[in-house]
Amino acid sequence: MTVHYDDFSVEWLGYATARLEPEDGPVAYTDPGRYGVLDDYWARDGDLVVVTHDHHYDPEGIRSVAREDATLVIYEAVDPAGIDRDVESIESLADEYDVVRVDDEDRVDVATPAGEVAVWSVAAYNDPEGPNAGPDGSVTHPRGLGCGFLLGLGDRTVFWPGDSDALDGFAELDVSVFLANIGGGGIVSDRHASAELAEAMDPDLVVPIHYDTFEQLEADGEAFAGDVAARSIPVALDARSANQ
């Protein structure tokens, strides 16, 4: 099921992968691949692909969504040499696509055949004193491991925080569509924290993703949707993907 918001569509393909498309505009994908979510997917229609951190770096997933002239915006700390999976280098992708590396305070304007996309990167992490920290302050996603992205697509802005807590600073962003990670599990914000962030952020639409992919990320999407709707914020579930 694709979520339609006026002339804008959002499709959650599983895990952290969402397909975003304004009417007659460029197509963008967030963190494509891993855990089999794109095994039967070969659209290759993406003008823009963003990768937030090592855990979501999947060259096969990228190739399944990116068109030949796509731009890949990849966080600067993504390092295949340090990933405990057999993945190819970013340099090999640069032979096929336009690859742009960003830190967590960048803006990149990406030109595509269907129009320009403004890409802002933002700091995204688990707070050592936050809900996903261990007793010693250790976290799965320390600051500097990854980032979040705010994408200007058509006349909408879409925020994907990546694997992060629901940080207070996110509420300051001007967001039309909030892709909320709700899986919790000690690695990302849970549905309660994301609902509170949605209320503070006040977007036009919330679509939960990044949950139910594996046991640690199990979450009640319908309960999240009910919580957000009770705060008078529009919310939609991609029910097909949530049940994958």
Side-chain angles (χ1 to χ4, degrees):
M1 181 187 79
T2 300
V3 173
H4 293 282
Y5 163 45
D6 294 335
D7 57 353
F8 196 93
S9 67
V10 179
E11 184 176 8
W12 180 36
L13 297 169
Y15 197 35
T17 308
R19 181 185 183 276
L20 311 165
E21 183 182 18
E23 186 177 30
D24 299 323
V27 174
Y29 285 88
T30 63
D31 285 329
R34 297 208 64 195
Y35 299 107
V37 299
L38 295 178
D39 282 356
D40 299 318
Y41 192 86
W42 191 252
R44 303 200 70 187
D45 60 348
D47 298 289
L48 169 69
V49 177
V50 297
V51 179
T52 58
H53 67 296
D54 281 355
H55 301 158
H56 293 317
Y57 178 66
D58 179 359
E60 291 184 4
I62 290 171
R63 287 197 177 91
S64 73
V65 303
R67 55 186 292 162
E68 290 182 357
D69 56 354
T71 297
L72 316 182
V73 179
I74 301 175
Y75 184 59
E76 64 179 0
V78 174
D79 181 10
I83 296 176
D84 61 356
R85 294 174 278 120
D86 184 17
V87 293
E88 64 190 85
S89 69
I90 293 174
E91 287 73 20
S92 66
L93 290 175
D95 291 336
E96 304 173 50
Y97 308 104
D98 182 16
V99 175
V100 179
R101 307 299 297 270
V102 295
D103 61 23
D104 54 17
E105 294 183 347
D106 262 333
R107 171 174 173 156
V108 177
D109 293 317
V110 177
T112 81
E116 190 170 82
V117 183
V119 180
W120 294 269
S121 57
V122 300
Y125 53 90
N126 299 138
D127 186 340
E129 297 182 357
N132 290 312
D136 61 352
S138 62
V139 293
T140 303
H141 302 96
R143 186 164 190 155
L145 178 70
C147 72
F149 286 105
L150 183 68
L151 308 178
L153 288 160
D155 59 355
R156 313 291 184 191
T157 54
V158 181
F159 180 49
W160 165 229
D163 284 15
S164 177
D165 293 345
L167 302 175
D168 291 343
F170 293 162
E172 303 302 317
L173 300 174
D174 181 9
V175 176
S176 304
V177 180
F178 174 31
L179 302 178
N181 49 19
I182 67 169
I187 54 178
V188 297
S189 55
D190 64 15
R191 67 177 181 86
H192 304 288
S194 288
E196 291 177 2
L197 175 58
E199 183 175 25
M201 186 182 292
D202 194 27
D204 297 327
L205 177 67
V206 179
V207 180
I209 70 172
H210 200 279
Y211 69 104
D212 283 359
T213 310
F214 46 83
E215 185 176 357
Q216 193 175 5
L217 289 178
E218 286 184 1
D220 190 335
E222 292 186 359
F224 170 77
D227 190 357
V228 172
R231 300 168 192 257
S232 300
I233 299 169
V235 58
L237 289 173
D238 187 337
R240 182 199 65 182
S241 294
N243 292 324
Q244 285 181 344

mmCIF file of all heavy atoms in Angstrom, residues 190-225:
data_model
loop_
_atom_site.group_PDB
_atom_site.id
_atom_site.type_symbol
_atom_site.label_atom_id
_atom_site.label_comp_id
_atom_site.label_asym_id
_atom_site.label_seq_id
_atom_site.Cartn_x
_atom_site.Cartn_y
_atom_site.Cartn_z
ATOM 1 N N ASP A 190 11.487 4.788 20.430
ATOM 2 C CA ASP A 190 10.325 3.915 20.423
ATOM 3 C C ASP A 190 9.085 4.707 20.031
ATOM 4 O O ASP A 190 9.152 5.909 19.763
ATOM 5 C CB ASP A 190 10.142 3.218 21.774
ATOM 6 C CG ASP A 190 9.848 4.173 22.926
ATOM 7 O OD1 ASP A 190 9.494 5.352 22.663
ATOM 8 O OD2 ASP A 190 9.980 3.748 24.086
ATOM 9 N N ARG A 191 7.947 4.027 19.984
ATOM 10 C CA ARG A 191 6.744 4.688 19.473
ATOM 11 C C ARG A 191 6.281 5.829 20.376
ATOM 12 O O ARG A 191 5.702 6.809 19.889
ATOM 13 C CB ARG A 191 5.620 3.672 19.274
ATOM 14 C CG ARG A 191 5.057 3.038 20.532
ATOM 15 C CD ARG A 191 3.904 2.103 20.163
ATOM 16 N NE ARG A 191 3.288 1.457 21.312
ATOM 17 C CZ ARG A 191 2.316 1.994 22.037
ATOM 18 N NH1 ARG A 191 1.852 3.198 21.731
ATOM 19 N NH2 ARG A 191 1.795 1.332 23.056
ATOM 20 N N HIS A 192 6.538 5.728 21.666
ATOM 21 C CA HIS A 192 6.106 6.789 22.576
ATOM 22 C C HIS A 192 6.929 8.059 22.348
ATOM 23 O O HIS A 192 6.372 9.161 22.241
ATOM 24 C CB HIS A 192 6.238 6.310 24.023
ATOM 25 C CG HIS A 192 5.483 5.050 24.319
ATOM 26 N ND1 HIS A 192 4.107 5.013 24.397
ATOM 27 C CD2 HIS A 192 5.920 3.768 24.527
ATOM 28 C CE1 HIS A 192 3.711 3.767 24.655
ATOM 29 N NE2 HIS A 192 4.793 3.005 24.734
ATOM 30 N N ALA A 193 8.259 7.900 22.273
ATOM 31 C CA ALA A 193 9.123 9.055 22.058
ATOM 32 C C ALA A 193 8.871 9.685 20.691
ATOM 33 O O ALA A 193 8.879 10.915 20.545
ATOM 34 C CB ALA A 193 10.590 8.656 22.188
ATOM 35 N N SER A 194 8.628 8.854 19.686
ATOM 36 C CA SER A 194 8.383 9.391 18.343
ATOM 37 C C SER A 194 7.044 10.104 18.264
ATOM 38 O O SER A 194 6.896 11.091 17.533
ATOM 39 C CB SER A 194 8.463 8.274 17.299
ATOM 40 O OG SER A 194 9.798 7.858 17.126
ATOM 41 N N ALA A 195 6.045 9.632 19.015
ATOM 42 C CA ALA A 195 4.756 10.322 19.048
ATOM 43 C C ALA A 195 4.902 11.693 19.707
ATOM 44 O O ALA A 195 4.325 12.684 19.241
ATOM 45 C CB ALA A 195 3.720 9.476 19.785
ATOM 46 N N GLU A 196 5.694 11.757 20.780
ATOM 47 C CA GLU A 196 5.932 13.041 21.428
ATOM 48 C C GLU A 196 6.679 13.998 20.497
ATOM 49 O O GLU A 196 6.374 15.197 20.438
ATOM 50 C CB GLU A 196 6.726 12.832 22.719
ATOM 51 C CG GLU A 196 5.935 12.126 23.810
ATOM 52 C CD GLU A 196 6.758 11.857 25.050
ATOM 53 O OE1 GLU A 196 7.942 12.255 25.079
ATOM 54 O OE2 GLU A 196 6.222 11.254 25.991
ATOM 55 N N LEU A 197 7.661 13.453 19.761
ATOM 56 C CA LEU A 197 8.381 14.289 18.801
ATOM 57 C C LEU A 197 7.451 14.775 17.702
ATOM 58 O O LEU A 197 7.525 15.944 17.291
ATOM 59 C CB LEU A 197 9.551 13.513 18.195
ATOM 60 C CG LEU A 197 10.322 14.221 17.081
ATOM 61 C CD1 LEU A 197 10.895 15.543 17.565
ATOM 62 C CD2 LEU A 197 11.429 13.313 16.538
ATOM 63 N N ALA A 198 6.578 13.917 17.223
ATOM 64 C CA ALA A 198 5.634 14.326 16.182
ATOM 65 C C ALA A 198 4.771 15.486 16.666
ATOM 66 O O ALA A 198 4.512 16.442 15.920
ATOM 67 C CB ALA A 198 4.762 13.133 15.777
ATOM 68 N N GLU A 199 4.330 15.428 17.918
ATOM 69 C CA GLU A 199 3.521 16.520 18.461
ATOM 70 C C GLU A 199 4.320 17.818 18.503
ATOM 71 O O GLU A 199 3.818 18.891 18.155
ATOM 72 C CB GLU A 199 3.024 16.159 19.851
ATOM 73 C CG GLU A 199 2.118 17.216 20.458
ATOM 74 C CD GLU A 199 1.524 16.792 21.783
ATOM 75 O OE1 GLU A 199 2.127 15.941 22.473
ATOM 76 O OE2 GLU A 199 0.449 17.314 22.138
ATOM 77 N N ALA A 200 5.588 17.728 18.922
ATOM 78 C CA ALA A 200 6.426 18.922 19.000
ATOM 79 C C ALA A 200 6.779 19.454 17.611
ATOM 80 O O ALA A 200 6.862 20.665 17.402
ATOM 81 C CB ALA A 200 7.697 18.605 19.783
ATOM 82 N N MET A 201 6.981 18.541 16.664
ATOM 83 C CA MET A 201 7.381 18.927 15.315
ATOM 84 C C MET A 201 6.203 19.466 14.511
ATOM 85 O O MET A 201 6.356 20.344 13.668
ATOM 86 C CB MET A 201 7.991 17.696 14.622
ATOM 87 C CG MET A 201 8.583 17.941 13.275
ATOM 88 S SD MET A 201 9.202 16.387 12.566
ATOM 89 C CE MET A 201 10.574 16.022 13.656
ATOM 90 N N ASP A 202 5.019 18.891 14.724
ATOM 91 C CA ASP A 202 3.782 19.300 14.057
ATOM 92 C C ASP A 202 3.888 19.221 12.534
ATOM 93 O O ASP A 202 3.646 20.209 11.829
ATOM 94 C CB ASP A 202 3.383 20.710 14.487
ATOM 95 C CG ASP A 202 1.949 21.052 14.091
ATOM 96 O OD1 ASP A 202 1.126 20.120 13.968
ATOM 97 O OD2 ASP A 202 1.648 22.244 13.894
ATOM 98 N N PRO A 203 4.231 18.049 11.989
ATOM 99 C CA PRO A 203 4.285 17.900 10.528
ATOM 100 C C PRO A 203 2.885 17.770 9.944
ATOM 101 O O PRO A 203 1.897 17.617 10.676
ATOM 102 C CB PRO A 203 5.072 16.606 10.357
ATOM 103 C CG PRO A 203 4.681 15.796 11.558
ATOM 104 C CD PRO A 203 4.530 16.795 12.684
ATOM 105 N N ASP A 204 2.805 17.792 8.632
ATOM 106 C CA ASP A 204 1.519 17.595 7.960
ATOM 107 C C ASP A 204 1.120 16.123 7.928
ATOM 108 O O ASP A 204 -0.067 15.803 7.819
ATOM 109 C CB ASP A 204 1.586 18.131 6.524
ATOM 110 C CG ASP A 204 1.842 19.625 6.481
ATOM 111 O OD1 ASP A 204 1.370 20.335 7.381
ATOM 112 O OD2 ASP A 204 2.540 20.075 5.552
ATOM 113 N N LEU A 205 2.110 15.229 7.999
ATOM 114 C CA LEU A 205 1.823 13.797 7.938
ATOM 115 C C LEU A 205 2.956 13.034 8.617
ATOM 116 O O LEU A 205 4.129 13.384 8.467
ATOM 117 C CB LEU A 205 1.701 13.327 6.482
ATOM 118 C CG LEU A 205 1.463 11.825 6.263
ATOM 119 C CD1 LEU A 205 0.074 11.420 6.776
ATOM 120 C CD2 LEU A 205 1.615 11.455 4.787
ATOM 121 N N VAL A 206 2.594 11.973 9.345
ATOM 122 C CA VAL A 206 3.566 11.066 9.952
ATOM 123 C C VAL A 206 3.364 9.679 9.366
ATOM 124 O O VAL A 206 2.233 9.188 9.286
ATOM 125 C CB VAL A 206 3.408 11.009 11.484
ATOM 126 C CG1 VAL A 206 4.409 10.032 12.089
ATOM 127 C CG2 VAL A 206 3.570 12.388 12.099
ATOM 128 N N VAL A 207 4.465 9.051 8.935
ATOM 129 C CA VAL A 207 4.434 7.669 8.450
ATOM 130 C C VAL A 207 5.496 6.883 9.226
ATOM 131 O O VAL A 207 6.685 7.175 9.097
ATOM 132 C CB VAL A 207 4.720 7.580 6.935
ATOM 133 C CG1 VAL A 207 4.679 6.124 6.473
ATOM 134 C CG2 VAL A 207 3.725 8.413 6.138
ATOM 135 N N PRO A 208 5.103 5.905 10.048
ATOM 136 C CA PRO A 208 6.098 5.136 10.786
ATOM 137 C C PRO A 208 6.810 4.119 9.893
ATOM 138 O O PRO A 208 6.184 3.478 9.040
ATOM 139 C CB PRO A 208 5.274 4.432 11.865
ATOM 140 C CG PRO A 208 3.914 4.289 11.260
ATOM 141 C CD PRO A 208 3.726 5.508 10.395
ATOM 142 N N ILE A 209 8.137 3.998 10.095
ATOM 143 C CA ILE A 209 8.931 2.979 9.409
ATOM 144 C C ILE A 209 9.937 2.417 10.412
ATOM 145 O O ILE A 209 9.908 2.760 11.588
ATOM 146 C CB ILE A 209 9.637 3.538 8.150
ATOM 147 C CG1 ILE A 209 10.770 4.505 8.522
ATOM 148 C CG2 ILE A 209 8.648 4.238 7.233
ATOM 149 C CD1 ILE A 209 11.629 4.922 7.309
ATOM 150 N N HIS A 210 10.824 1.538 9.937
ATOM 151 C CA HIS A 210 11.910 1.011 10.769
ATOM 152 C C HIS A 210 11.366 0.295 12.010
ATOM 153 O O HIS A 210 11.771 0.584 13.135
ATOM 154 C CB HIS A 210 12.879 2.134 11.163
ATOM 155 C CG HIS A 210 14.232 1.648 11.588
ATOM 156 N ND1 HIS A 210 14.489 1.179 12.841
ATOM 157 C CD2 HIS A 210 15.411 1.569 10.924
ATOM 158 C CE1 HIS A 210 15.766 0.824 12.952
ATOM 159 N NE2 HIS A 210 16.346 1.055 11.786
ATOM 160 N N TYR A 211 10.475 -0.653 11.789
ATOM 161 C CA TYR A 211 9.985 -1.484 12.879
ATOM 162 C C TYR A 211 9.519 -2.827 12.313
ATOM 163 O O TYR A 211 9.269 -2.963 11.116
ATOM 164 C CB TYR A 211 8.864 -0.795 13.660
ATOM 165 C CG TYR A 211 7.542 -0.618 12.932
ATOM 166 C CD1 TYR A 211 6.449 -1.432 13.219
ATOM 167 C CD2 TYR A 211 7.371 0.385 11.984
ATOM 168 C CE1 TYR A 211 5.230 -1.261 12.576
ATOM 169 C CE2 TYR A 211 6.159 0.564 11.333
ATOM 170 C CZ TYR A 211 5.085 -0.263 11.631
ATOM 171 O OH TYR A 211 3.880 -0.086 10.992
ATOM 172 N N ASP A 212 9.472 -3.826 13.201
ATOM 173 C CA ASP A 212 9.002 -5.177 12.867
ATOM 174 C C ASP A 212 9.888 -5.929 11.873
ATOM 175 O O ASP A 212 9.499 -6.996 11.402
ATOM 176 C CB ASP A 212 7.564 -5.154 12.326
ATOM 177 C CG ASP A 212 6.534 -4.970 13.439
ATOM 178 O OD1 ASP A 212 6.945 -4.884 14.613
ATOM 179 O OD2 ASP A 212 5.331 -4.906 13.142
ATOM 180 N N THR A 213 11.064 -5.404 11.548
ATOM 181 C CA THR A 213 11.943 -6.120 10.625
ATOM 182 C C THR A 213 12.508 -7.377 11.269
ATOM 183 O O THR A 213 12.656 -8.412 10.622
ATOM 184 C CB THR A 213 13.110 -5.217 10.173
ATOM 185 O OG1 THR A 213 12.576 -3.977 9.723
ATOM 186 C CG2 THR A 213 13.908 -5.867 9.062
ATOM 187 N N PHE A 214 12.838 -7.288 12.539
ATOM 188 C CA PHE A 214 13.286 -8.443 13.320
ATOM 189 C C PHE A 214 12.837 -8.213 14.759
ATOM 190 O O PHE A 214 12.317 -7.148 15.116
ATOM 191 C CB PHE A 214 14.797 -8.660 13.207
ATOM 192 C CG PHE A 214 15.630 -7.428 13.351
ATOM 193 C CD1 PHE A 214 15.978 -6.919 14.592
ATOM 194 C CD2 PHE A 214 16.078 -6.751 12.221
ATOM 195 C CE1 PHE A 214 16.745 -5.778 14.717
ATOM 196 C CE2 PHE A 214 16.859 -5.608 12.335
ATOM 197 C CZ PHE A 214 17.194 -5.121 13.591
ATOM 198 N N GLU A 215 13.017 -9.238 15.599
ATOM 199 C CA GLU A 215 12.403 -9.234 16.932
ATOM 200 C C GLU A 215 12.742 -7.997 17.751
ATOM 201 O O GLU A 215 11.881 -7.430 18.438
ATOM 202 C CB GLU A 215 12.833 -10.487 17.691
ATOM 203 C CG GLU A 215 12.153 -10.648 19.045
ATOM 204 C CD GLU A 215 12.522 -11.952 19.721
ATOM 205 O OE1 GLU A 215 13.260 -12.758 19.120
ATOM 206 O OE2 GLU A 215 12.045 -12.167 20.862
ATOM 207 N N GLN A 216 13.975 -7.535 17.697
ATOM 208 C CA GLN A 216 14.374 -6.387 18.507
ATOM 209 C C GLN A 216 13.634 -5.115 18.123
ATOM 210 O O GLN A 216 13.510 -4.194 18.941
ATOM 211 C CB GLN A 216 15.889 -6.177 18.386
ATOM 212 C CG GLN A 216 16.469 -5.211 19.413
ATOM 213 C CD GLN A 216 17.983 -5.123 19.327
ATOM 214 O OE1 GLN A 216 18.607 -5.707 18.437
ATOM 215 N NE2 GLN A 216 18.590 -4.398 20.248
ATOM 216 N N LEU A 217 13.115 -5.064 16.909
ATOM 217 C CA LEU A 217 12.423 -3.870 16.436
ATOM 218 C C LEU A 217 10.899 -4.016 16.447
ATOM 219 O O LEU A 217 10.195 -3.198 15.840
ATOM 220 C CB LEU A 217 12.883 -3.523 15.009
ATOM 221 C CG LEU A 217 14.297 -2.977 14.854
ATOM 222 C CD1 LEU A 217 14.605 -2.733 13.379
ATOM 223 C CD2 LEU A 217 14.504 -1.694 15.647
ATOM 224 N N GLU A 218 10.379 -5.030 17.125
ATOM 225 C CA GLU A 218 8.932 -5.213 17.143
ATOM 226 C C GLU A 218 8.252 -4.021 17.808
ATOM 227 O O GLU A 218 8.680 -3.546 18.866
ATOM 228 C CB GLU A 218 8.567 -6.495 17.886
ATOM 229 C CG GLU A 218 8.871 -7.756 17.093
ATOM 230 C CD GLU A 218 8.418 -9.011 17.806
ATOM 231 O OE1 GLU A 218 7.840 -8.884 18.915
ATOM 232 O OE2 GLU A 218 8.622 -10.104 17.263
ATOM 233 N N ALA A 219 7.201 -3.524 17.166
ATOM 234 C CA ALA A 219 6.468 -2.372 17.700
ATOM 235 C C ALA A 219 5.032 -2.428 17.198
ATOM 236 O O ALA A 219 4.730 -3.065 16.188
ATOM 237 C CB ALA A 219 7.128 -1.067 17.273
ATOM 238 N N ASP A 220 4.156 -1.763 17.890
ATOM 239 C CA ASP A 220 2.733 -1.732 17.553
ATOM 240 C C ASP A 220 2.457 -0.479 16.727
ATOM 241 O O ASP A 220 2.261 0.608 17.271
ATOM 242 C CB ASP A 220 1.904 -1.742 18.836
ATOM 243 C CG ASP A 220 0.420 -1.943 18.575
ATOM 244 O OD1 ASP A 220 -0.036 -1.608 17.461
ATOM 245 O OD2 ASP A 220 -0.277 -2.425 19.482
ATOM 246 N N GLY A 221 2.469 -0.655 15.416
ATOM 247 C CA GLY A 221 2.251 0.469 14.525
ATOM 248 C C GLY A 221 0.871 1.086 14.689
ATOM 249 O O GLY A 221 0.714 2.310 14.618
ATOM 250 N N GLU A 222 -0.136 0.249 14.911
ATOM 251 C CA GLU A 222 -1.487 0.782 15.060
ATOM 252 C C GLU A 222 -1.618 1.600 16.341
ATOM 253 O O GLU A 222 -2.290 2.637 16.355
ATOM 254 C CB GLU A 222 -2.497 -0.365 15.032
ATOM 255 C CG GLU A 222 -2.603 -1.046 13.674
ATOM 256 C CD GLU A 222 -3.701 -2.080 13.637
ATOM 257 O OE1 GLU A 222 -4.379 -2.279 14.679
ATOM 258 O OE2 GLU A 222 -3.898 -2.701 12.573
ATOM 259 N N ALA A 223 -0.959 1.151 17.408
ATOM 260 C CA ALA A 223 -0.991 1.920 18.656
ATOM 261 C C ALA A 223 -0.288 3.262 18.469
ATOM 262 O O ALA A 223 -0.739 4.295 18.977
ATOM 263 C CB ALA A 223 -0.352 1.129 19.788
ATOM 264 N N PHE A 224 0.828 3.248 17.747
ATOM 265 C CA PHE A 224 1.522 4.505 17.449
ATOM 266 C C PHE A 224 0.615 5.434 16.664
ATOM 267 O O PHE A 224 0.500 6.628 16.977
ATOM 268 C CB PHE A 224 2.801 4.225 16.670
ATOM 269 C CG PHE A 224 3.458 5.459 16.118
ATOM 270 C CD1 PHE A 224 4.190 6.304 16.944
ATOM 271 C CD2 PHE A 224 3.342 5.790 14.775
ATOM 272 C CE1 PHE A 224 4.787 7.466 16.445
ATOM 273 C CE2 PHE A 224 3.933 6.931 14.259
ATOM 274 C CZ PHE A 224 4.656 7.775 15.106
ATOM 275 N N ALA A 225 -0.028 4.901 15.626
ATOM 276 C CA ALA A 225 -0.906 5.733 14.805
ATOM 277 C C ALA A 225 -2.034 6.327 15.638
ATOM 278 O O ALA A 225 -2.389 7.503 15.483
ATOM 279 C CB ALA A 225 -1.468 4.912 13.645
#
